[in-house]
Amino acid sequence: MTDNSPEFDLIARHFTRPAANAVLGVGDDCALVDITNGMDLAVSTDTMVSGTHFFPDVPPENLGHKALAVNLSDMAAMGAMPYWAMLALTVPTVDHGWLAAFAKGFFDLAEEFSVSLIGGDTTRGPLSLTITIMGEVPMGAALRRNGAKAGNDVWVSGNIGDAALAVAHRNGRLVLGEEDYHEAVMRLYEPTPRVRLGQALRGLATSAIDISDGLLGDLGHICRLSGVGATVDLGAIPLSPIGAKHVATKAGLTTILAGGDDYELCFTASPNSRDSIAELTDVLGVPLTRIGQVKRGKGVSLMGSDGKPVRIDGRGYDHFSGA
Ligand code: ADP
Ligand code: MG
């Protein structure tokens, strides 16, 4: 490309900001970063495709926030400190109003977490976004999915289900009141990545995952990789007032537990860590709730208030399930 091409102009106008954390940011063939001694580099990529991961009419500022938030959430789930992001953007047309709003959503969140955008790629095509995020975690201290032990507690941050309820409302699977929909859809559009919590859980959590595809399915990943099972107490799952209104219906229950898009952390820890974890709630201002137990065996079972197993249909979103 030449210096006055529309692509160069687009990158210069919307995506070139000082990269405080990097040796070299946007503009050269590669970005350069300096890794701290004694740290592992944590790297993750997430793609969001219009119509699959977001409604095509999502306000661009919300989309900029969300695209980065889901990547920050992966850093959180690993206990890593995020520093650098790359943005590969495919847009159907060059709409500077849209791009400016998208960039605002992106950079407002990036600044909140001191993350620098250090490069990317810009192409024309159906709207899709890929962000690669990089950060650091002390060697050997990352929170992995494979460390859960029988006898551990299962914990979850925040509350579960609102984002998925908004999606279910849009898709006509259930009906939210107008005010509830507007509140729930903000949880869908602007999830809060639990970055500080993830770092605080280093040395406390035996395993962790962020809930993107549904609580039960994502806890299932921890179980499979750890070679254990888990029981979850339905009555203990933290819900918002909106979730509480819908959990008693079949569609509501399935949506809350298997819908996803929560970007809360689900983690396991020894019962000896209960007091330390409870303290984090106060220090970080993030509710943390004990929802179940890791058991010997396989799979996740959900227990009702009568102590009997509850069956639900969905087990998390799977792009290749053919549904
Ligand atoms: P190349 O031809 O070497 O791939 P590009 O023309 O694609 O370089 O990009 C020029 C510079 O702009 C590079 O530093 C690249 O990382 C950066 N860049 C391109 N698109 C974006 C974007 N959407 N956000 C941030 N940086 C970008
Ligand atoms: Mg390129």
Side-chain angles (χ1 to χ4, degrees), residues 19 23 65 90 103 124 145 156 197 217 256 287 300:
V23 178
H65 176 109
T90 304
R124 193 186 288 267
R145 295 180 177 182
V156 72
L197 172 62
I256 289 165
V300 178

Side-chain angles (χ1 to χ4, degrees), residues 7 120-122:
E7 182 189 341
D121 201 18
T122 306

Side-chain angles (χ1 to χ4, degrees), residues 1 5 7-8 10-12 14-16 25-31 85-90 99 102 106-107 117-123 130:
M1 76 184 186
S5 75
E7 182 189 341
F8 183 89
L10 184 163
I11 298 164
H14 300 292
F15 298 111
T16 306
V26 170
D28 214 311
D29 296 306
C30 288
M86 308 280 285
L87 168 65
L89 185 62
T90 304
L99 287 162
F102 174 87
F106 180 97
F107 283 112
L117 181 65
I118 59 169
D121 201 18
T122 306
T123 52
T130 298

Side-chain angles (χ1 to χ4, degrees), residues 156-202:
V156 72
S157 66
N159 55 45
I160 297 298
D162 285 6
L165 286 169
V167 175
H169 173 90
R170 283 284 302 251
N171 291 339
R173 290 199 303 275
L174 49 75
V175 179
L176 304 184
E178 198 178 317
E179 263 181 42
D180 285 356
Y181 172 70
H182 286 296
E183 205 176 315
V185 86
M186 283 318 291
R187 298 286 308 278
L188 176 68
Y189 286 163
E190 302 221 333
T192 306
R194 301 299 190 185
V195 175
R196 292 177 194 90
L197 172 62
Q199 290 168 55
L201 287 173
R202 295 197 298 240

Side-chain angles (χ1 to χ4, degrees), residues 278-300:
E279 270 170 37
L280 290 181
T281 291
D282 302 332
V283 175
L284 302 172
V286 181
L288 299 172
T289 309
R290 207 147 40 82
I291 59 165
Q293 237 82 51
V294 180
K295 300 268 160 81
R296 268 190 274 278
K298 266 208 294 212
V300 178

Side-chain angles (χ1 to χ4, degrees), residues 33-221:
V33 299
D34 194 0
I35 311 293
T36 313
N37 268 336
M39 301 295 240
D40 283 329
L41 178 68
V43 190
S44 177
T45 292
D46 259 307
T47 294
M48 294 178 56
V49 177
S50 181
T52 303
H53 299 93
F54 55 89
F55 295 112
D57 63 354
V58 57
E61 190 172 336
N62 295 142
L63 188 61
H65 176 109
K66 178 146 186 180
L68 182 58
V70 303
N71 280 274
L72 288 171
S73 181
D74 283 321
M75 289 276 123
M78 217 66 193
M81 174 84 170
Y83 286 116
W84 310 288
M86 308 280 285
L87 168 65
L89 185 62
T90 304
V91 285
T93 52
V94 178
D95 174 343
H96 285 294
W98 191 97
L99 287 162
F102 174 87
K104 181 176 190 320
F106 180 97
F107 283 112
D108 282 355
L109 187 63
E111 271 159 34
E112 191 181 326
F113 289 99
S114 304
V115 166
S116 298
L117 181 65
I118 59 169
D121 201 18
T122 306
T123 52
R124 193 186 288 267
L127 180 60
S128 107
L129 312 146
T130 298
I131 291 181
T132 300
I133 190 132
M134 287 159 280
E136 293 185 343
V137 59
M139 279 179 177
L143 305 177
R144 297 176 55 169
R145 295 180 177 182
N146 65 359
K149 301 267 182 309
N152 282 176
D153 297 323
V154 178
W155 293 80
V156 72
S157 66
N159 55 45
I160 297 298
D162 285 6
L165 286 169
V167 175
H169 173 90
R170 283 284 302 251
N171 291 339
R173 290 199 303 275
L174 49 75
V175 179
L176 304 184
E178 198 178 317
E179 263 181 42
D180 285 356
Y181 172 70
H182 286 296
E183 205 176 315
V185 86
M186 283 318 291
R187 298 286 308 278
L188 176 68
Y189 286 163
E190 302 221 333
T192 306
R194 301 299 190 185
V195 175
R196 292 177 194 90
L197 172 62
Q199 290 168 55
L201 287 173
R202 295 197 298 240
L204 285 175
T206 53
S207 72
I209 192 166
D210 66 318
I211 305 173
S212 54
D213 297 335
L215 172 63
L216 296 187
D218 286 324
L219 177 56
H221 294 315

